[in-house]
């Protein structure tokens, strides 16, 4: 391994510095600018903690923070409680239609949460289908779907699949001999799960919980649509930054800094606990799904099918609604393609913008992920270690805050990017790169260094070895991660809502604005298009990766 130990400044060092410079300009500098803006008085231009005192001085403001905390903690706990048994059942037992169910679970999580909010309003809102049906048929008043309850329902059903993917992957890495040893000592059923299985997968559960926590904390569309006065931090930040009456971007920056500090603390605590509880497992005898009979079999199937039905209900509602005839804001009898015609005629640019921006973003993501994954795994040093940390930091920065940071930083010369496609591309690349980077780095770890050493010993340069040997072996992992990045890009709202203009509107923005205006048919048709794109993307993922499910 001399060629690794005795490195000189070469092409890879140059690439590392260029990528690091890119992140300094597009992430570090904007966040630093946001920090400065939060500590400068808007009138005097002098250093001041006025904005922070304002936030903690009024219940209206810090109350939104506690509302967000209540939502995120509740959603995270519910997701763990629901997803862990779901993953255990799907991994340990033979469930009819298992492959199709796994795809449907993933599809249910790949839509923007605000579409779920809109769907549940159609179903259980004041004039919803289920609400009216219960009232007219049984004279039963449906539960109130608005406020905290609605946000909790929507986000839980949306985010359970994330923990499901994490836990499924962890369960497949458990050596079945450990479970068999426990059973030989009369440790079975729930006792075995509590004493053996849960402790083994606890670090994975914590990792999945962190992702759910951050996604719930950052979500803007759901509380905006279904919250009805239940204000959360993303909504508060948006109102303070965008509002033409009484808005204050300095105050929005201060709230953003508070959220980033809080998210960073949560992230560090999670990492500390995970590191203390982490260990290596070698699955020499992986868990194999077994057939069960009797009441256990019935209950397992009911649990899985019931969750899939509830999780898919919003998307089924959206697809059904998209084909209904509409008269103004009212759905009428009969079916047609009028909503799709209206969608293409009214928001056609949003559809083309989505594909243009997503294609540019994913191209940059693939290139950066390949380069960063290689240098952080193969050429470890102080700079690449720092680069690894910086590239994963957007994992904990809410999208709306990143959008504000970019807009504050690049809204004036010499770098004037506001209102352009470029600023959206930068935001999407920074936010969604970790998905592709994670899978790319994982596959580099699996490639033996001896393969590269052999090529170099035969006279190939480092760069030629990379392109001829390493890169072809990396591609399956890169493409798999890129598909997941692609899906999250086309469904992005929280960043887009801050950065878009009339010329750069995307499908998610179009759906959101149509819902706000009450044009549910057009919104439903656009939502259905997103669902179709998501399904096609997942099918490509399965074809490329050779897998029948997605685990993290």
């Amino acid at each position: 391994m001399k060629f690794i130990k005795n490195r000189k400044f070469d092409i890879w060092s140059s690439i590392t510095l260029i990528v690091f410079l890119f992140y300094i300009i597009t992430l570090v500098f904007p966040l630093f600018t946001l920090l400065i803006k939060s500590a400068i008085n808007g009138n005097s231009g002098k250093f001041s903690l006025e904005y922070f005192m304002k936030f903690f001085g009024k219940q209206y403001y810090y109350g939104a923070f506690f509302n967000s905390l209540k939502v995120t903690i509740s959603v995270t706990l519910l997701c763990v409680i629901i997803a862990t048994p779901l993953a255990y059942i799907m991994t340990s037992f033979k469930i009819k239609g298992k492959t199709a169910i796994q795809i449907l679970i993933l599809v249910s999580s790949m839509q923007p949460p605000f579409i779920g909010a809109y769907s549940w309003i159609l179903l259980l809102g004041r004039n919803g289908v289920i609400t009216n049906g219960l009232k007219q048929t049984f004279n039963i008043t449906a539960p109130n779907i608005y406020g905290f309850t609605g946000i909790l329902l929507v986000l839980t059903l949306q985010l359970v699949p994330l923990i499901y993917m994490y836990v499924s992957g962890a369960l497949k890495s458990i050596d079945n001999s450990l479970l068999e040893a426990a059973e030989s000592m009369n440790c079975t059923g729930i006792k075995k799960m509590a004493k053996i299985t849960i402790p083994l997968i606890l670090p994975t559960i914590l990792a999945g919980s962190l992702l759910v926590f951050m996604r719930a904390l950052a979500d803007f569309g759901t509380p905006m649509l279904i919250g009805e006065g239940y204000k959360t931090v993303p909504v508060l930040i948006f109102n303070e930054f965008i509002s033409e009456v009484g808005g204050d971007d300095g105050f929005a920056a201060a709230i953003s800094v508070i959220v980033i500090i809080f998210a960073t603390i949560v992230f560090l605590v999670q990492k500390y606990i995970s590191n203390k509880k982490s260990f290596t497992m070698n699955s020499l005898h992986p868990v194999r799904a077994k057939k069960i009979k009797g009441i256990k079999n019935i209950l397992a199937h009911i649990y899985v099918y019931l969750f899939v039905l509830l999780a898919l209900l919003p998307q089924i509602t959206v697809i059904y609604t998209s084909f209904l005839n509409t008269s103004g804001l009212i759905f009428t009898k009969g079916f047609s393609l009028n909503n799709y015609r209206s969608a293409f005629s009214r928001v056609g640019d949003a559809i083309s913008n989505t594909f243009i921006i997503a294609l540019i973003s994913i191209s940059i993501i693939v290139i950066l992920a390949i380069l960063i994954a290689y240098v952080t795994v193969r050429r470890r040093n102080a700079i690449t270690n720092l680069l690894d940390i910086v590239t994963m930091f957007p994992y904990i920065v809410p999208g709306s805050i990143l959008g504000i940071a970019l807009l504050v930083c690049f809204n004036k010369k010499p770098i004037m990017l506001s209102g352009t496609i470029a600023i959206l591309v930068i935001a999407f690349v920074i936010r969604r790169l970790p998905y592709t980077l994670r899978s790319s780095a994982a596959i580099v770890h699996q490639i033996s260094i001896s393969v590269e050493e052999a090529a170099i010993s035969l006279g190939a340069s480092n760069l030629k070895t990379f392109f001829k040997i390493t890169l072809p072996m990396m591609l399956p992992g890169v493409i798999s991660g890129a598909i997941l990045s692609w899906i999250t890009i086309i469904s992005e709202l929280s960043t887009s809502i801050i950065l878009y203009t009339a010329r750069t509107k995307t499908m998610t923005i179009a759906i959101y604005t149509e819902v706000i205006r009450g044009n549910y048919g057009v919104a439903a048709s656009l939502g259905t298009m997103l669902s179709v794109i998501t399904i096609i993307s997942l099918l490509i993922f399965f074809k490329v990766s050779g897998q029948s499910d997605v685990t993290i």
Side-chain angles (χ1 to χ4, degrees):
M1 297 180 62
K2 285 184 178 180
F3 80 102
I4 291 181
K5 291 180 180 178
N6 301 323
R7 294 190 203 105
K8 295 180 180 179
F9 192 87
D10 57 8
I11 185 65
W12 288 111
S13 302
S14 301
I15 289 172
T16 302
L17 292 176
I18 291 170
V19 173
F20 200 80
L21 182 62
F22 168 79
Y23 267 91
I24 289 175
I25 294 172
T26 59
L27 179 63
V28 178
F29 181 57
L31 291 177
F32 182 74
T33 303
L34 196 69
L35 176 62
I36 296 299
K37 194 170 188 64
S38 69
I40 299 295
N41 184 283
N43 297 321
S44 65
K46 296 180 179 179
F47 174 80
S48 172
L49 296 177
E50 176 187 343
Y51 291 130
F52 295 96
M53 293 171 66
K54 178 181 178 182
F55 178 83
F56 291 107
K58 290 188 178 181
Q59 198 274 335
Y60 175 80
Y61 298 125
Y62 66 74
F65 178 81
F66 285 114
N67 284 345
S68 286
L69 200 59
K70 181 180 176 183
V71 166
T72 51
I73 292 174
S74 301
V75 167
T76 303
L77 289 175
L78 272 178
C79 285
V80 171
I81 291 169
I82 295 171
T84 304
L86 182 67
Y88 182 80
I89 291 170
M90 291 290 287
T91 304
S92 304
F93 307 134
K94 290 185 177 180
I95 302 295
K96 291 183 179 179
K98 185 173 183 177
T99 301
I101 289 170
Q102 287 171 331
I103 294 174
L104 291 176
I105 290 174
L106 290 173
V107 169
S108 71
S109 71
M110 296 300 180
Q111 282 279 24
F114 74 90
I115 292 182
Y118 145 67
S119 302
W120 283 107
I121 290 173
L122 290 179
L123 291 169
L124 284 170
R126 295 185 182 89
N127 197 35
V129 176
I130 297 176
T131 302
N132 291 335
L134 289 174
K135 189 68 176 177
Q136 294 169 8
T137 308
F138 304 105
N139 197 28
I140 296 174
T141 302
N144 183 18
I145 196 65
Y146 301 97
F148 173 76
T149 304
I151 298 171
L152 185 64
L153 173 68
V154 171
L155 290 180
T156 298
L157 290 176
Q158 177 80 18
L159 299 176
V160 160
L162 294 179
I163 294 185
Y164 167 81
M165 286 188 283
Y166 271 88
V167 175
S168 293
L171 288 171
K172 289 174 183 177
S173 66
I174 293 178
D175 196 318
N176 196 45
S177 59
L178 295 174
L179 304 180
E180 291 173 348
E183 290 173 356
S184 68
M185 300 176 70
N186 294 323
C187 182
T188 58
I190 296 177
K191 186 179 179 182
K192 180 181 70 175
M193 188 173 181
K195 294 276 189 181
I196 307 298
T197 309
I198 296 296
L200 287 173
I201 63 173
L202 184 59
T204 303
I205 292 176
L206 290 174
S209 298
L210 176 68
L211 181 57
V212 168
F213 189 93
M214 295 305 173
R215 290 277 291 270
L217 180 67
D219 187 67
F220 161 79
T222 303
M224 196 72 172
L225 285 179
I226 208 170
E228 280 207 349
Y230 192 87
K231 197 174 294 293
T232 59
V233 167
V235 175
L236 180 64
I237 292 173
F238 177 81
N239 289 340
E240 286 298 326
F241 188 74
I242 298 297
S243 177
E244 296 180 2
V245 181
D248 190 334
D249 55 357
F251 185 45
I255 302 172
S256 301
V257 169
I258 293 169
V259 173
I260 291 173
I261 292 171
F262 172 72
T264 303
I265 292 171
V266 172
F267 175 73
L268 293 175
V269 169
Q270 183 270 338
K271 291 290 287 183
Y272 175 76
I273 296 173
S274 294
N275 289 337
K276 286 196 71 174
K277 300 288 184 180
S278 66
F279 42 82
T280 302
M281 289 187 292
N282 292 315
S283 183
L284 299 176
H285 305 285
V287 176
R288 295 187 179 276
K290 57 185 179 181
K291 192 171 183 178
I292 51 174
K293 297 179 181 179
I295 190 66
K296 284 186 177 180
N297 185 47
I298 295 172
L299 291 175
H301 279 79
I302 289 174
Y303 188 85
V304 171
Y305 291 162
L306 182 61
F307 171 77
V308 172
L309 176 62
L310 287 174
L312 286 175
L313 195 56
Q315 293 195 37
I316 294 170
T317 304
V318 167
I319 294 170
Y320 174 78
T321 304
S322 72
F323 292 103
L324 289 176
N325 282 318
T326 57
S327 177
L329 305 181
I330 308 298
F331 292 111
T332 59
K333 292 183 178 179
F335 300 91
S336 72
L337 297 175
N338 290 337
N339 292 322
Y340 290 90
R341 296 189 187 98
S342 297
F344 280 104
S345 62
R346 292 171 55 180
V347 294
D349 288 345
I351 299 172
S352 59
N353 284 342
T354 298
F355 281 98
I356 291 169
I357 294 170
L359 285 170
I360 295 172
S361 301
I362 204 65
S363 300
I364 298 172
I365 283 173
V366 167
I367 294 170
L368 287 177
I370 290 170
L371 298 176
I372 295 170
Y374 185 80
V375 298
T376 54
V377 174
R378 285 286 190 261
R379 306 176 68 83
R380 297 199 70 87
N381 54 50
I383 294 178
T384 57
N385 288 339
L386 184 58
L387 179 62
D388 192 26
I389 295 170
V390 170
T391 54
M392 293 306 294
F393 192 71
Y395 191 75
I396 62 173
V397 177
S400 56
I401 292 176
L402 179 61
I404 291 173
L406 290 171
L407 203 56
V408 167
C409 190
F410 300 128
N411 197 32
K412 55 185 179 297
K413 294 181 179 181
I415 308 178
M416 182 74 173
L417 297 179
S418 60
T420 66
I421 284 179
I423 197 168
L424 281 166
V425 169
I426 290 171
F428 291 163
V429 168
I430 291 171
R431 286 208 76 208
R432 302 311 178 187
L433 177 63
Y435 292 94
T436 308
L437 181 57
R438 186 185 182 96
S439 62
S440 302
I443 204 162
V444 175
H445 279 291
Q446 296 172 8
I447 299 172
S448 174
I449 192 72
S450 60
V451 178
E452 296 173 48
E453 289 177 328
I456 291 175
S457 69
L458 292 171
S461 66
N462 285 342
L463 207 57
K464 187 176 181 179
T465 299
F466 173 76
F467 281 109
K468 292 288 187 179
I469 306 297
T470 312
L471 182 58
M473 298 174 73
M474 286 177 64
L475 283 180
V478 173
I479 295 173
S480 297
I483 295 296
L484 298 180
S485 292
W486 165 269
I487 292 170
T488 55
I489 286 171
I490 62 175
S491 62
E492 173 69 42
L493 175 68
S494 59
T495 307
S496 307
I497 199 75
I498 299 291
L499 298 175
Y500 89 99
T501 63
R503 293 186 297 108
T504 59
K505 181 184 289 187
T506 60
M507 285 179 73
T508 49
I509 296 295
I511 295 169
Y512 177 77
T513 51
E514 293 301 322
V515 170
I516 293 295
R517 292 171 182 169
N519 299 327
Y520 295 141
V522 175
S525 63
L526 289 168
T528 302
M529 291 180 206
L530 269 183
S531 293
V532 171
I533 295 169
T534 300
I535 293 170
I536 293 172
S537 301
L538 284 172
L539 291 175
I540 293 172
F541 168 84
F542 295 138
K543 181 69 174 178
V544 170
S545 64
Q547 300 179 29
S548 60
D549 64 336
V550 178
T551 56
I552 301 177

